[in-house]
Amino acid sequence: MGVNLAYFPPVICGISFILTVFFTRKAPLISSLISVFAILSSFILFIFILIDFLSPNLNSIDFSIDWIDVLDTRISWGILLDSLSVTMLGLITLVALLVQVYSISYMKGDSRFGWYFSVHSLFAAAMIAVVLVDNLLLMYFAWELVGLGSYLLIGFWYEKRAASEAAKKAFITTRIGDVALLIGIILIFKSTGTFNISSIFHIANNGGINENILTISTFLIFLGAMGKSAQFPFHVWLPDAMEGPTPVSALIHAATMVAAGVYLVARMMPLFSLAPYVLDFVVFIGLFTFIFGGTMAIVMHDIKRVLAYSTISHLGLMMLSLGFMGIASAIFHLIVHGVSKALLFLGAGSLMHEMEGETDIRNMGGLVNKMPITAITFIIGSVSLAGIIPLSGFFSKDEILLTVFEKGGILILFLTLIGAFLSSLYMFRLTFITFFGSLKSDNSKIGESPILMTLPLILLALLAIFMSALLLEISTFKGFIFFISGYKAHLNLLLIVFSSILSFVALILAWFIYIKDSKYLTDWFKLNMNCFYKLLLNKYYIDELYQYVINQIVLRFAQFIALFDRLVVNDIGVDKSSLSVKSLGLKLKFIQTGKMHGYAISMVIGFLILIFTWAIL
């Protein structure tokens, strides 16, 4: 029975959006309750779907209704339920529910309180649709709605110039990937005659798609995933997206927009597996983004930007795993990261709520006693992402390390371990600076956040601790079964020991630098690494490079095109041609006198000219 309800979660959230926009705008509290009720209903439906789906004789379900059926073209509206879509449905509905409950307190008193929850419903409906639909065309529609929802939420406080610019930056940057995705989908449809995902896989596996077309289309699909999941060089929109409300950051970074790209590659893996060169590119981009994002997270002072670059880095780690076709480990880490990152962003929002919007971690410190619930839950999220045993982040990280070790070799494993070390180091740095050390005098009157904000933190912290028990079925000391996805994997004791040592080394190093304040280490870094530190602090000057390219190349080329359009196309091609017709008409009008003898003379002259021409020829 549960699986037949799979249509309802996106529909319920969509109806919530319509109701809150058109009927409850003047009652913002009712809007928030409608939105929360819709996402709560969707989460309850997920539980029923999961119960049915975990029955022994049910692996996947694909059911649809016809939308367009003309000649050989058939397009349907359908739902594909398998381990991947059900897992993603659970993550999206759970995190969205907790974020919306949290937002009731966080956004209290905002002039657009009702509109905020309306867009949340739209965003949730679009993302749920992305992971459930069974055809690429409908997925693309939902994919674009996810982009629209992110634009509206990032620019929610559009009266702030930084917020409106961040929203435009996110929208434009991701559009580049979206155009590539659309072209890739069209190429696949042209080769297969269908948008249905299962049918496309069947045709591709039987050699029905030309190898070059397959390679190009999968590459274009990956470009779409790179845009949404903020992979280098499309990563620049994600840190600026922090200008939106902090619960929005939690939603975007944990379960919705950035997860869409990882999900897309995992969903289309049967196509990617037939295009090995594209998978090599996925590995390269994922590995580079993993280390690249980590190097910047380690120097940022804004708490939300540290978490943003952490998200970029971990998304790279997921893409790296997908590049080696490690779907189970990538999705496992996506879930663990989603819960932990939602916890961290909501924890950051709790701090900002009590510190009147302060985001600079250098102005924090010593808050562990002032905000114990926020501090403890934030520490749990940090330790999980740092990969400390026995929290869930340890298992998901080591699963990816094992995938890399088995399929990528020693060199790529070594580089991945460097990224893992950076991940541990910047998470401990953030935690130590924010909650430990001496209490700033300005923060002496700070207290704990309201219950509607701390309750989601507690629930997410419990998940970060015990999620491995929910997702992993321990079989023997040597291994486990990732039962939701059905993929088998085995822990490697040597990797466990080595990665754990790296995490603890990062912990000790962070303690020496940020708690003990080791003068030797800080002086050495300032003396020998100051130029590199400035490079990292300025984000490798990539934003400046993009702005230079836009100003000096794109805009100047646009000015040239505009000038060409005005002087050549408009003034000559349009205006001159119309003026020539007018001028010719003015001259020819003298022929039309209305007198019969004039016309007769003209006919005689014309006839004589014809006779003369014929005689000469």
Side-chain angles (χ1 to χ4, degrees):
M1 177 185 124
V3 294
N4 296 322
L5 303 174
Y7 275 110
F8 284 93
V11 172
I12 291 173
C13 292
I15 292 173
S16 170
F17 169 71
I18 295 171
L19 289 176
T20 54
V21 166
F22 293 105
F23 300 105
T24 62
R25 293 188 67 180
K26 294 184 179 180
L29 182 59
I30 294 177
S31 294
S32 66
L33 294 178
I34 291 173
S35 182
V36 171
F37 176 76
I39 196 64
L40 174 61
S41 302
S42 299
F43 180 68
I44 293 172
L45 288 172
F46 155 73
I47 294 174
F48 283 109
I49 293 169
L50 180 63
I51 291 171
D52 268 13
F53 191 78
L54 291 179
S55 61
N57 52 357
L58 188 62
N59 294 320
S60 66
I61 295 178
D62 186 359
F63 51 96
S64 61
I65 57 174
D66 288 343
W67 175 37
I68 296 174
D69 192 354
V70 179
L71 299 177
D72 294 331
T73 302
R74 182 183 177 188
I75 302 174
S76 61
W77 299 80
I79 296 294
L80 174 60
L81 282 180
D82 59 5
S83 57
L84 181 58
S85 58
V86 172
T87 303
M88 291 296 297
L89 176 63
L91 176 65
I92 295 164
T93 52
L94 175 62
V95 173
L97 172 61
L98 294 178
V99 167
Q100 289 195 30
V101 170
Y102 178 98
S103 297
I104 293 175
S105 279
Y106 188 88
M107 299 299 292
K108 183 179 179 180
D110 194 280
S111 59
R112 293 188 293 276
F113 185 83
W115 171 244
Y116 172 85
F117 282 92
S118 298
V119 182
H120 261 278
S121 291
L122 173 66
F123 203 26
M127 190 61 202
I128 292 171
V130 165
V131 302
L132 289 182
V133 296
D134 69 342
N135 71 83
L136 292 178
L137 183 61
L138 185 54
M139 178 189 286
Y140 186 77
F141 289 158
W143 183 275
E144 289 299 306
L145 282 178
V146 168
L148 174 62
S150 69
Y151 172 78
L152 295 174
L153 287 173
I154 293 169
F156 180 75
W157 289 318
Y158 57 82
E159 61 274 9
K160 292 168 51 182
R161 180 172 177 81
S164 61
E165 292 295 327
K168 288 190 291 184
K169 188 174 185 178
F171 194 78
I172 293 170
T173 304
T174 55
R175 285 295 74 71
I176 298 172
D178 293 352
V179 170
L181 173 61
L182 179 59
I183 297 171
I185 291 173
I186 292 172
L187 288 175
I188 290 175
F189 176 75
K190 190 174 184 301
S191 298
T192 62
T194 181
F195 290 107
N196 184 271
I197 294 174
S198 300
S199 299
I200 290 170
F201 293 162
H202 177 73
I203 294 170
N205 286 327
N206 287 281
I209 304 178
N210 178 273
E211 184 177 349
N212 292 330
I213 296 295
L214 183 63
T215 300
I216 294 171
S217 59
T218 50
F219 176 75
L220 292 171
I221 289 172
F222 181 61
L223 288 181
M226 286 172 62
K228 279 289 193 287
S229 288
Q231 299 295 284
F232 177 87
F234 300 129
H235 68 283
V236 291
W237 69 267
L238 192 57
D240 289 0
M242 299 303 96
E243 294 296 335
T246 303
V248 170
S249 302
L251 190 62
I252 289 176
H253 286 246
T256 51
M257 187 168 177
V258 298
V262 176
Y263 166 80
L264 178 63
V265 176
R267 168 60 69 207
M268 304 304 291
M269 186 53 67
L271 283 188
F272 280 83
S273 64
L274 300 174
Y277 296 115
V278 178
L279 282 178
D280 291 341
F281 183 69
V282 174
V283 168
F284 171 76
I285 291 295
L287 180 59
F288 183 85
T289 304
F290 180 41
I291 299 174
F292 178 75
T295 58
M296 289 181 286
I298 209 166
V299 300
M300 294 294 157
H301 303 304
D302 186 298
I303 187 171
K304 292 175 70 176
R305 286 186 178 269
V306 173
L307 296 176
Y309 282 109
S310 167
T311 299
I312 293 171
S313 179
H314 280 272
L315 289 168
L317 182 60
M318 298 172 209
M319 287 297 187
L320 172 63
S321 180
L322 289 172
F324 291 120
M325 294 192 291
I327 299 177
S329 53
I331 298 302
F332 183 19
H333 192 63
L334 175 65
I335 300 166
V336 171
H337 173 268
V339 169
S340 301
K341 193 54 63 72
L343 171 58
L344 291 170
F345 267 110
L346 295 184
S350 178
L351 291 169
M352 294 168 61
H353 184 268
E354 297 302 310
M355 297 182 68
E356 299 181 349
E358 179 63 67
T359 60
D360 194 325
I361 58 177
R362 294 171 295 185
N363 297 327
M364 301 178 186
L367 297 176
V368 67
N369 295 320
K370 290 291 183 179
M371 304 180 69
I373 297 177
T374 299
I376 292 171
T377 54
F378 193 97
I379 291 169
I380 290 171
S382 296
V383 172
S384 177
L385 280 188
I388 299 295
I389 194 169
L391 273 71
S392 302
F394 164 80
F395 292 100
S396 63
K397 180 195 70 175
D398 273 70
E399 264 304 287
I400 293 180
L401 289 176
L402 181 59
T403 300
V404 172
F405 174 67
E406 291 179 342
K407 299 182 179 180
I410 297 297
L411 177 59
I412 296 181
L413 175 64
F414 175 74
L415 294 174
T416 307
L417 287 170
I418 291 175
F421 173 78
L422 291 175
S423 178
S424 301
L425 185 59
Y426 64 65
M427 291 313 306
F428 288 127
R429 168 186 178 263
L430 178 62
T431 302
F432 287 150
I433 294 177
T434 303
F435 292 102
F436 296 94
S438 58
L439 179 68
K440 306 294 188 297
S441 58
D442 295 341
N443 302 332
S444 57
K445 297 181 180 180
I446 289 176
E448 190 56 84
S449 296
I451 184 65
L452 284 180
M453 294 175 64
T454 53
L455 182 59
L457 295 180
I458 295 170
L459 294 176
L460 287 168
L462 291 174
L463 280 174
I465 296 172
F466 299 112
M467 181 164 293
S468 58
L470 296 175
L471 296 178
L472 305 177
E473 181 181 66
I474 305 300
S475 55
T476 65
F477 177 75
K478 295 181 180 180
F480 61 81
I481 300 174
F482 185 38
F483 71 88
I484 285 184
S485 69
Y487 292 88
K488 293 184 179 181
H490 298 281
L491 294 175
N492 183 295
L493 185 59
L494 183 60
L495 274 179
I496 291 175
V497 172
F498 195 71
S499 64
S500 297
I501 290 174
L502 282 179
S503 296
F504 281 106
V505 168
L507 169 63
I508 295 169
L509 183 60
W511 181 81
F512 265 104
I513 297 175
Y514 304 110
I515 298 297
K516 191 174 177 60
D517 193 17
S518 174
K519 192 172 185 305
Y520 172 77
L521 288 173
T522 53
D523 287 349
W524 178 89
F525 189 83
K526 289 179 181 178
L527 181 63
N528 296 280
M529 306 291 287
N530 192 44
C531 292
F532 184 56
Y533 174 76
K534 289 182 178 179
L535 182 67
L536 296 180
L537 201 59
N538 287 282
K539 301 165 288 186
Y540 295 96
Y541 297 97
I542 291 177
D543 287 89
E544 289 77 5
L545 173 63
Y546 287 175
Q547 195 62 53
Y548 176 83
V549 171
I550 292 171
N551 292 340
Q552 301 300 322
I553 299 177
V554 176
L555 292 182
R556 289 194 176 187
F557 182 71
Q559 290 171 352
F560 168 75
I561 294 296
L563 186 64
F564 179 83
D565 176 70
R566 183 171 62 82
L567 295 180
V568 178
V569 177
N570 185 71
D571 292 355
I572 297 176
V574 177
D575 291 348
K576 289 291 185 182
S577 60
S578 62
L579 288 174
S580 64
V581 172
K582 180 181 178 181
S583 176
L584 182 61
L586 290 173
K587 293 176 180 179
L588 291 176
K589 75 177 182 178
F590 295 108
I591 300 175
Q592 304 296 328
T593 61
K595 297 177 180 180
M596 292 298 296
H597 63 274
Y599 296 152
I601 293 173
S602 298
M603 292 173 64
V604 171
I605 293 173
F607 180 72
L608 292 174
I609 291 173
L610 287 173
I611 294 294
F612 180 72
T613 303
W614 177 76
I616 293 176
L617 297 176

